[in-house]
Amino acid sequence: MSKEIPKLTDIYDTLLRVTSAIASVINVDITIVDKDLNRITGTGNYLDRIGKKVAKNCVFDYALKRKEKFIIDNPRFHEACANCLNKNKCTETAQVCCPINFDNDTIGIIGLIAFNKCQKSIIDANKENLLEFLSRMADLIEAKLKEKKKTDKINLMNQELEFLVDSIDIGVISTDENGEILRYNSIADEMFHLKNDKVSRGIRNHPTTNIENLIDNISIDYFSKTKCFHKNKDFNYIVNGKEFRGLYNVKPIIVNKKIIGYIFTFNKMNEVIRVVNDITNNKPTDFNDIIGHSKEITLVKEHAKRISKSCSTVLIQGESGTGKELFARSIHHDSNRKDGPFIPINCSAIPENLIESELFGYEGGAFTGANKRGRVGKFELANNGTIFLDEIGDMPLHMQTKLLRVLQENTINRVGGNKLIPINVRVLAATNKDLDKKVKEGEFREDLFYRLNVIPIYLPPLKDRTDDIEILVDNFINKFNFKLNRDIKSINNEVLGLFKNYNWQGNVRELENVVEYAVNMCRGETIEIWDLPNRFKDMDTDNTIEDILPISVLEKQEIIKAVNKHGNSKSGILKAAKALGISRATIYRKIKLYNIKY
């Protein structure tokens, strides 16, 4: 990499002051020329030549090549003037030249020039002193160039740092040890409108606003006493009359065991919620992920697609394992809210005394054991998105009343709070219970049922969509082949017939579990009856498979049992062959014939 050499024009103002000062003190004209023979500054006779090139092969050209300081007391006859094109017109009477260096590179010449006897006598009388003086001036110019280079580098680093900090998607504020704001980034300005508070951005030692005035629950005295990193502190702030919530972190800047300032970082609560949702939500699910081509499931998918763009509440009813959450996620993904959060919550899995705070959140100290900073509820997390209330039939009656109010007013009230928080949430609910029956028995509010059941969706059980069993089984085999590093090719037709006649009380979820079990147990490339759980083997075969099995099936089954019992070592195979009453050669041939893996 080539070394970057600065230009004399980078410090033009400094050169102008230097030449003017020297000329006024010594009373001799002075000029500075760069390495490209451009005249940068000049006094007296050179004033009208500033910015122009000096002649090639002149004294300055000679000085640049020689890279040494020298004095000419006999112009036109000196070695330096030998090739000068203007020597016959020259009016100079004496000259002092000194190179200007940057590290080891000559980047210009500073020269003192006499045009009359008086000026010549000044040079003649002070030759050594003037040479030393010009050397000092050249050193000064070099120092100024290095200072300028460092300053430019620092400014560039500051710009890069400012750009970097502005690129961070959180607010950043630095303060001094007393909490006076020194610097901030664009996100902090956006959050708190600091420019309106006349904080001088990026300018140190100009504090005008204290962080304690910006956020009411921040205590610099507390931070100075603890001298530790404080993380995820909840706070409220007001901008243009509107109240917002957020989280802040604070870290002290400690030098020589003394706090000299603090770094505050701020997150908007809605951004925190968005990130949490992005991380916790699974990959988007759409209707293409719902496997099945039967008439029954196709009609339900078409119905769900039609209502997905609506904002009305949906009640999804169906037996356990029919895919209620899968449908809910697909409706959300196909809706206008697909870029918002999808928040699922199982109403039956939350203790009755916690469900209100889980749904609506709570204020700090609302009850014994509550987080002192409070907690955001699921409805707030789902703002501008969808909340899925699974097992809604198990919601306690007192919570049904509060949920009804939320659906009617689109506001929530945190536990321990007295402020209504507006929300924009679409509600999808699901249950495997008979809500009509629960309403009649007084276990579910009738008005809430009608509020939830604006758009009903009924999912058929697997036993009513047996045409989908084969495609479901193929999909599950592929899934578990990948998960379990297996290579199962197919499923025996008799097993498939058994599946189609089985009463799947656990529906698709049960079928998936059975296939996973079979993929684990299967020793060949085809799932057989003996690869299934015992409940299938013990079924009444009159309704499933014929009483008589082919000899080959029985033979393969008994060989597998023998190998499982005695092991797959050479001695184990020999024992298995003896147990079966066949030779070792025969058992190896049969193992190969039936493609038995061991």
Side-chain angles (χ1 to χ4, degrees):
M1 183 181 293
S2 59
K3 181 173 64 175
E4 184 179 352
I5 300 175
K7 298 179 180 179
L8 288 172
T9 51
D10 293 342
I11 55 168
Y12 175 77
D13 291 341
T14 297
L15 298 182
L16 191 62
R17 289 194 297 270
V18 168
T19 53
S20 298
I22 294 174
S24 63
V25 172
I26 301 179
N27 197 26
V28 175
D29 286 349
I30 182 170
T31 189
I32 295 177
V33 176
D34 68 12
K35 63 184 180 65
D36 297 318
L37 298 178
N38 297 308
R39 197 181 302 275
I40 307 301
T41 63
T43 63
N45 292 314
Y46 295 113
L47 281 174
D48 59 348
R49 306 182 200 176
I50 295 174
K52 298 178 181 179
K53 278 187 175 294
V54 302
K56 194 173 182 181
N57 295 324
C58 68
V59 170
F60 294 113
D61 191 17
Y62 175 84
L64 283 168
K65 294 174 181 176
R66 186 171 178 177
K67 298 182 180 182
E68 293 179 356
K69 57 187 177 182
F70 59 88
I71 294 178
I72 299 175
D73 52 9
N74 56 339
R76 295 176 298 283
F77 303 103
H78 192 274
E79 177 186 349
C81 305
N83 297 318
C84 182
L85 300 177
N86 296 320
K87 67 178 179 179
N88 294 329
K89 301 176 183 179
C90 181
T91 59
E92 298 175 5
T93 58
Q95 188 170 138
V96 182
C97 290
C98 182
I100 301 172
N101 295 320
F102 187 86
D103 293 335
N104 295 320
D105 295 300
T106 299
I107 61 172
I109 300 294
I110 181 170
L112 292 175
I113 300 94
F115 285 97
N116 53 52
K117 291 181 180 181
C118 179
Q119 290 178 331
K120 177 176 172 55
S121 65
I122 293 173
I123 291 177
D124 290 341
N126 299 280
K127 289 181 180 180
E128 297 301 323
N129 289 337
L130 288 176
L131 280 174
E132 183 63 23
F133 177 71
L134 285 189
S135 294
R136 299 293 185 185
M137 290 300 102
D139 290 344
L140 173 64
I141 292 171
E142 181 182 16
K144 286 293 182 181
L145 284 169
K146 290 183 176 180
E147 180 184 330
K148 176 69 165 54
K149 186 176 181 180
K150 287 182 179 179
T151 300
D152 289 346
K153 187 175 182 180
I154 291 172
N155 289 337
L156 179 61
M157 290 174 62
N158 283 338
Q159 292 175 16
E160 291 174 346
L161 182 60
E162 184 173 321
F163 180 79
L164 175 64
V165 175
D166 273 344
S167 299
I168 300 173
D169 57 359
I170 60 175
V172 180
I173 293 178
S174 66
T175 74
D176 65 12
E177 69 276 14
N178 298 314
E180 299 291 338
I181 295 176
L182 303 176
R183 297 181 181 89
Y184 57 91
N185 71 345
S186 57
I187 299 296
D189 184 29
E190 177 187 326
M191 291 179 68
F192 304 116
H193 291 197
L194 294 173
K195 287 181 181 177
N196 296 338
D197 293 330
K198 299 180 182 179
V199 178
S200 296
R201 182 179 182 189
I203 302 176
R204 198 171 177 86
N205 300 323
H206 192 73
T208 58
T209 298
N210 195 286
I211 195 76
E212 290 183 343
N213 298 329
L214 200 65
I215 301 172
D216 55 8
N217 63 343
I218 283 181
S219 170
I220 294 297
D221 286 341
Y222 173 72
F223 297 148
S224 65
K225 291 175 182 177
T226 56
K227 290 186 178 181
C228 61
F229 179 39
H230 297 273
K231 190 175 183 181
N232 292 335
K233 299 290 185 179
D234 195 5
F235 73 97
N236 299 323
Y237 62 103
I238 298 175
V239 176
N240 294 332
K242 293 183 178 180
E243 185 173 351
F244 299 90
R245 297 182 63 248
L247 297 174
Y248 75 86
N249 301 324
V250 57
K251 186 173 184 179
I253 304 172
I254 301 176
V255 176
N256 295 328
K257 299 182 180 181
K258 181 181 179 182
I259 295 178
I260 63 169
Y262 299 92
I263 298 293
F264 290 84
T265 58
F266 300 89
N267 286 283
K268 301 176 184 177
M269 186 61 75
N270 60 346
E271 288 296 318
V272 174
I273 291 172
R274 182 186 62 78
V275 171
V276 169
N277 288 329
D278 287 345
I279 294 173
T280 56
N281 285 347
N282 295 327
K283 70 178 183 66
T285 301
D286 60 29
F287 289 105
N288 292 325
D289 295 314
I290 300 175
I291 301 168
H293 301 300
S294 65
K295 178 182 178 181
E296 293 80 7
I297 200 66
T298 298
L299 289 174
V300 177
K301 285 199 285 187
E302 290 174 352
H303 176 60
K305 283 182 180 179
R306 283 198 300 272
I307 59 89
S308 61
K309 298 293 192 295
S310 170
C311 61
S312 300
T313 55
V314 178
L315 180 61
I316 305 172
Q317 299 183 74
E319 295 179 6
S320 177
T322 51
K324 294 186 287 296
E325 182 169 341
L326 188 61
F327 266 87
R329 287 184 179 274
S330 299
I331 291 170
H332 169 75
H333 184 263
D334 201 50
S335 74
N336 298 325
R337 297 170 177 264
K338 64 180 181 180
D339 294 328
F342 176 87
I343 303 297
I345 183 169
N346 190 322
C347 299
S348 66
I350 304 172
E352 185 174 337
N353 61 330
L354 295 179
I355 191 168
E356 181 177 1
S357 61
E358 189 71 20
L359 288 175
F360 308 135
Y362 59 83
E363 297 294 346
F367 50 85
T368 303
N371 190 308
K372 63 180 180 181
R373 295 193 299 270
R375 185 177 178 183
V376 177
K378 292 295 191 291
F379 269 90
E380 277 187 85
L381 287 173
N383 199 37
N384 296 318
T386 302
I387 191 167
F388 175 54
L389 301 176
D390 198 8
E391 307 297 348
I392 190 70
D394 294 322
M395 179 173 282
L397 275 171
H398 76 280
M399 277 304 303
Q400 294 177 26
T401 304
K402 296 186 178 182
L403 177 60
L404 177 64
R405 187 181 305 117
V406 170
L407 296 178
Q408 290 173 335
E409 301 174 2
N410 294 318
T411 59
I412 63 166
N413 190 358
R414 290 184 179 177
V415 176
N418 54 14
K419 179 174 61 176
L420 292 177
I421 302 173
I423 56 168
N424 175 20
V425 175
R426 185 184 190 183
V427 175
L428 306 180
T431 182
N432 60 1
K433 303 290 177 64
D434 185 347
L435 289 190
D436 285 306
K437 181 179 179 182
K438 289 179 74 70
V439 168
K440 292 175 183 178
E441 294 174 350
E443 296 179 0
F444 200 88
R445 289 184 62 106
E446 184 177 22
D447 46 6
L448 177 59
F449 172 68
Y450 290 128
R451 175 67 69 174
L452 292 172
N453 200 34
V454 175
I455 301 177
I457 293 179
Y458 296 92
L459 302 187
L462 186 57
K463 64 184 179 182
D464 292 343
R465 45 180 289 220
T466 55
D467 290 345
D468 290 328
I469 288 180
E470 185 171 358
I471 189 174
L472 285 166
V473 168
D474 288 342
N475 178 77
F476 294 145
I477 288 176
N478 291 332
K479 174 181 177 180
F480 294 117
N481 272 339
F482 178 79
K483 178 180 178 181
L484 303 173
N485 194 26
R486 300 300 308 276
D487 189 25
I488 309 301
K489 303 293 187 185
S490 61
I491 183 170
N492 186 296
N493 287 334
E494 293 175 349
V495 175
L496 193 59
L498 181 64
F499 282 175
K500 289 183 178 181
N501 286 281
Y502 180 72
N503 184 18
W504 296 97
Q505 294 191 7
N507 293 287
V508 178
R509 186 182 297 121
E510 184 183 3
L511 174 62
E512 182 177 9
N513 291 342
V514 169
V515 173
E516 182 175 8
Y517 177 92
V519 170
N520 274 287
M521 295 295 107
C522 184
R523 285 187 170 272
E525 294 182 345
T526 301
I527 294 176
E528 304 286 356
I529 293 173
W530 50 81
D531 297 321
L532 303 180
N534 288 334
R535 66 181 181 276
F536 289 91
K537 301 171 187 174
D538 298 337
M539 285 176 55
D540 181 3
T541 55
D542 291 337
N543 297 323
T544 57
I545 60 175
E546 297 179 359
D547 289 333
I548 301 174
L549 293 175
I551 295 298
S552 60
V553 172
L554 292 172
E555 186 175 48
K556 179 179 179 180
Q557 182 176 349
E558 293 307 306
I559 291 172
I560 290 173
K561 286 168 60 177
V563 171
N564 284 341
K565 179 177 180 180
H566 296 289
N568 57 11
S569 64
K570 288 184 178 180
S571 61
I573 296 295
L574 182 59
K575 290 179 181 178
K578 288 181 179 180
L580 293 166
I582 59 178
S583 67
R584 184 172 62 178
T586 300
I587 193 172
Y588 277 120
R589 181 169 55 81
K590 296 288 185 180
I591 286 173
K592 183 177 181 181
L593 174 66
Y594 296 129
N595 194 24
I596 297 172
K597 307 292 183 179
Y598 62 86

